[in-house]
């Protein structure tokens, strides 16, 4: 049993024919899901961390760099989605081209990407929700809305006694609410997302247009602050300069994974071969432009070194005396982050579904609810894990792990689509990536280049995650893979012919 065996295209086609998921998503519904996942944590939270600690006003440049890397990957994703419009995203694409172990490793990293992504957003949502309550003069104790490390840091800074126990209760609660929505069905989830996306885009445009009148170009000087090096917990940390801009790019890269989430919804798209590629590229382009404009406005309104790291957009308006706008922004951010969580958790369960259908994960992950036709068991499991991690983990730790998994998955997709074009040129491709070998090579190079700038401790954690994944593959997945019964796939091939 070779670890490089591939799943026949006929098997994917059979999966599509006997798909039990409800096909209700249109072209713009898919695009809305992508925008719902992309606009959120990147604008409302990570802009503060990336500008304050790493890039300064050059945050806009970090978004350009991350956006270019994503553009190459998105074009490769689009071709794959038109050939293999099934749930599973990059995992499924690799399984049909490069081989089982390669596909498993991508799937394992996508688990990291989506789970850590949803966790990051849950923690960010909690921060904005607490600020929203504060606007109405309701304050939650620090130990009830932060993890222990963050609660201790904030308590000491406020001159209070450090707590012995802390839990991020708002993050836990919102995760459980989103989980219940997802169990009810994709149609309900998509409707909820569409409403929130309209609100988010309206507020983002409001931030850009109104904020532009309060830009002080002196705040952009110097555009790229001089590089500094500090030692934090015995680890050397590079801030600002070119290295800082690149590190910021790896941080905000997290904000772009929404277009990947579009590809996980192929099983619920009405016309996946045409609409999924459109939605992937459209959602990425729309959001990249908005990201660049917002980052320029924020760093122009407020000097980067006083930008609040937890709620940068709201703080920028507050610093300029626009207290009334803070209400609008905080409400929109709270709602917006909800939709990001919704799409990420949706994508996570569909990847589990695809891997379980292939036998690489236990059947538990592919059980569908008799009424809602959703993978309810895995949705409950994912919701429980995210709720627990979000309740007790600092946001900066999980966001970098998410970006790491995303970068590697994107690079692997760029490799896999070139292999498929070479090995199976005869396949119908409703969408073909222009100048594929150039775009694919640039996509691989760009994403691996960004991985070089990820912090060392994140690399260590990622390596441990990878080792665990390889162990799971050899102890369970390889033995239970449906490819162990090639006669079944030969039968499917003959029926197709």
């Amino acid at each position: 049993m070779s670890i490089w065996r591939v799943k026949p295209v006929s098997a994917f086609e059979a999966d599509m024919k006997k798909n039990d998921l409800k096909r209700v998503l249109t072209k713009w519904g898919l695009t809305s899901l992508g925008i719902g996942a992309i606009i959120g944590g990147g604008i409302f939270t990570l802009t503060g961390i990336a500008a304050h600690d790493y890039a300064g006003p050059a945050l806009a440049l970090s978004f350009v760099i991350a956006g270019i890397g994503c553009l190459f990957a998105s074009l490769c994703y689009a071709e794959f989605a038109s050939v293999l419009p099934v749930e599973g995203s990059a995992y499924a694409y690799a399984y049909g081209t490069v081989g089982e172990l390669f596909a498993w490793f991508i799937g394992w990293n996508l688990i990291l990407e989506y789970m850590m992504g949803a966790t990051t957003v849950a923690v960010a949502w909690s921060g904005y929700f607490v600020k929203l309550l504060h606007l109405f003069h309701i304050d939650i104790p620090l130990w009830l809305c932060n993890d222990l490390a963050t609660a201790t840091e904030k308590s000491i800074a406020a001159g209070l006694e450090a707590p012995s126990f802390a839990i991020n209760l708002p993050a836990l609660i919102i995760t459980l609410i989103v989980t219940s929505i997802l169990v009810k069905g994709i149609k309900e989830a998509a409707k909820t997302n569409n409403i929130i996306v309209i609100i988010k885009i309206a507020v983002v445009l409001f931030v850009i247009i109104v904020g532009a009148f309060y830009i002080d170009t002196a705040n952009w000087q110097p555009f790229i602050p001089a590089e500094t090096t500090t030692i934090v917990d015995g680890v050397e940390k590079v801030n600002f300069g070119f290295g800082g801009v690149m590190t910021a790019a790896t941080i905000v890269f997290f904000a772009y994974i929404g277009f990947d989430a579009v590809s996980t919804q192929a099983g619920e798209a009405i016309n996946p071969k045409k609409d999924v590629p459109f939605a992937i590229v459209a959602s990425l382009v729309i959001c990249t432009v908005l990201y660049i404009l917002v980052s320029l406005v924020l760093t122009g309104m407020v000097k980067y070194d006083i930008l609040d790291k937890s709620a940068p957009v709201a703080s920028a308006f507050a610093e300029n005396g626009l207290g009334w706008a803070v209400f609008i922004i905080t409400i929109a951010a709270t709602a917006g982050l909800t939709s990001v969580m919704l799409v990420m958790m949706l994508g996570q369960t569909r990847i589990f579904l695809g891997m379980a259908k292939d036998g690489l994960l236990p059947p538990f992950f592919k059980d569908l609810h008799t009424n809602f036709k959703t993978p309810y068991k895995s949705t409950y499991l994912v919701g429980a894990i995210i709720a627990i991690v979000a309740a007790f983990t600092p946001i900066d730790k999980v966001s970098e792990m998410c970006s790491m998994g995303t970068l590697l998955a994107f690079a692997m997709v760029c490799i896999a689509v070139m292999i498929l074009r070479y090995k199976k040129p005869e396949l119908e491709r409703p969408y073909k990536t222009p100048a594929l070998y150039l775009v694919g090579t640039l996509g691989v190079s760009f994403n691996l280049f960004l991985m070089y700038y990820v912090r060392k401790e994140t690399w260590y954690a990622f390596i441990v995650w990878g080792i665990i994944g390889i162990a799971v593959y050899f102890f369970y997945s390889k033995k239970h893979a449906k490819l162990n019964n090639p006669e079944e796939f030969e039968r499917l091939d003959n029926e197709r012919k």
Side-chain angles (χ1 to χ4, degrees):
M1 296 185 294
S2 171
I3 60 174
W4 302 113
R5 55 191 176 179
V6 298
K7 182 177 178 180
V9 173
S10 56
F12 285 107
E13 292 175 344
D15 286 344
M16 285 183 272
K17 288 178 182 176
K18 58 184 181 183
N19 175 40
D20 292 325
L21 298 170
K22 292 182 179 179
R23 292 194 177 275
V24 296
L25 295 177
T26 63
K27 174 168 65 176
W28 289 107
L30 287 164
T31 304
S32 177
L33 280 174
I35 295 172
I38 297 173
I39 293 182
I43 282 182
F44 295 120
T45 301
L46 295 181
T47 47
I49 298 170
H52 187 281
D53 291 347
Y54 297 101
L59 174 63
L61 185 57
S62 297
F63 273 116
V64 171
I65 292 168
I68 291 172
C70 284
L71 179 61
F72 295 139
S74 71
L75 293 173
C76 294
Y77 261 92
E79 177 166 325
F80 255 140
S82 73
V83 177
L84 301 173
V86 293
E87 67 276 347
S89 182
Y91 152 76
Y93 306 155
Y95 207 176
T97 55
V98 184
E100 188 172 273
L101 179 60
F102 193 91
W104 165 262
F105 198 64
I106 285 185
W108 189 248
N109 281 300
L110 287 173
I111 292 172
L112 179 70
E113 172 188 324
Y114 282 102
M115 201 167 286
M116 292 300 99
T119 303
T120 301
V121 175
V123 177
W125 184 93
S126 174
Y128 269 97
F129 181 70
V130 169
K131 288 183 181 296
L132 179 61
L133 292 180
H134 178 72
L135 293 175
F136 292 96
H137 308 292
I138 301 172
D139 292 309
I140 301 176
L142 289 174
W143 66 272
L144 261 183
C145 56
N146 292 282
D147 61 275
L148 183 58
T150 306
T152 300
E153 181 184 333
K154 289 183 176 180
S155 295
I156 293 173
L160 304 173
E161 183 180 347
S164 57
F165 172 80
I167 180 173
N168 196 329
L169 191 60
L172 186 149
I173 292 173
I174 189 60
T175 303
L176 298 181
I177 292 173
V178 171
T179 300
S180 66
I181 292 173
L182 290 175
V183 168
K184 290 290 180 65
I186 181 65
K187 193 170 184 179
E188 288 72 19
K191 284 181 178 178
T192 303
N193 178 72
N194 288 341
I195 294 169
I196 295 174
V197 165
I198 291 171
I199 295 171
K200 280 199 294 188
I201 291 181
V203 172
V204 168
L205 292 175
F206 168 82
V207 169
I208 293 169
I209 295 169
V210 175
F213 290 98
Y214 293 87
I215 289 176
D216 180 357
T217 55
N219 290 329
W220 288 336
Q221 304 299 325
F223 190 68
I224 303 179
E227 182 177 307
T228 61
T229 303
T230 55
I231 304 296
V232 179
D233 296 329
V235 179
E236 185 176 275
K237 181 180 177 184
V238 176
N239 304 79
F240 310 115
F242 178 73
V245 171
M246 296 304 295
T247 300
T250 67
I251 292 172
V252 300
F253 200 90
F254 159 81
Y256 283 103
I257 67 174
F259 79 80
D260 174 89
V262 172
S263 66
T264 68
Q265 307 310 312
E268 287 141 300
I270 296 172
N271 186 11
K273 288 198 171 190
K274 292 184 178 180
D275 293 349
V276 173
F278 172 88
I280 287 173
V281 177
S283 60
L284 177 65
V285 171
I286 291 169
C287 294
T288 299
V289 172
L290 294 176
Y291 273 152
I292 293 169
L293 292 175
V294 168
S295 61
L296 286 171
V297 167
L298 290 186
T299 53
M301 291 179 72
V302 178
K303 193 71 175 175
Y304 69 89
D305 55 359
I306 61 171
L307 196 63
D308 182 25
K309 291 197 284 185
S310 60
V313 182
S315 73
F317 277 76
E319 286 288 334
N320 282 271
L322 300 172
W324 58 272
V326 175
F327 278 89
I328 298 173
I329 293 166
T330 306
I331 292 171
T334 306
L337 290 168
T338 306
S339 76
V340 179
M341 277 191 69
L342 188 147
V343 177
M344 286 186 173
M345 291 174 66
L346 189 65
Q348 171 72 87
T349 55
R350 271 44 177 187
I351 289 167
F352 275 145
L353 177 63
M355 296 176 77
K357 281 183 176 180
D358 294 328
L360 300 186
L361 287 177
F364 169 89
F365 292 96
K366 66 176 181 179
D367 287 347
L368 299 184
H369 194 283
T370 51
N371 294 328
F372 303 135
K373 297 300 181 184
T374 56
Y376 69 107
K377 290 182 180 179
S378 65
T379 302
Y380 282 131
L381 176 63
V382 168
I385 293 173
I386 291 173
I388 293 169
V389 176
F392 299 103
T393 311
I395 188 171
D396 60 331
K397 305 299 181 187
V398 289
S399 65
E400 286 197 32
M401 284 298 291
C402 175
S403 292
M404 191 69 164
T406 306
L407 286 165
L408 185 59
F410 285 2
M412 287 178 158
V413 166
C414 293
I415 293 171
V417 76
M418 290 189 287
I419 292 174
L420 184 64
R421 180 79 73 88
Y422 176 76
K423 289 174 65 176
K424 292 189 176 293
E426 75 282 358
L427 288 177
E428 179 191 358
R429 290 173 169 83
Y431 174 84
K432 294 184 73 172
T433 303
L436 173 63
Y437 296 106
L438 174 61
V439 169
T441 302
L442 288 172
V444 173
S445 304
F446 216 93
N447 286 286
L448 293 180
F449 178 64
L450 285 180
M451 287 176 72
Y452 173 79
Y453 286 93
V454 173
R455 295 186 304 157
K456 288 182 181 178
E457 54 268 40
T458 305
W459 265 104
Y460 296 147
F462 181 73
I463 291 170
V464 170
W465 174 258
I467 292 171
I468 294 172
I470 296 299
V472 172
Y473 171 75
F474 282 104
F475 280 106
Y476 179 87
S477 304
K478 190 171 186 288
K479 297 175 184 177
H480 293 83
K482 286 191 176 180
L483 285 182
N484 292 333
N485 300 312
E487 298 82 8
E488 176 67 13
F489 291 112
E490 286 178 14
R491 183 183 65 78
L492 290 170
D493 254 334
N494 292 332
E495 286 180 3
R496 178 169 171 258
K497 291 172 182 176

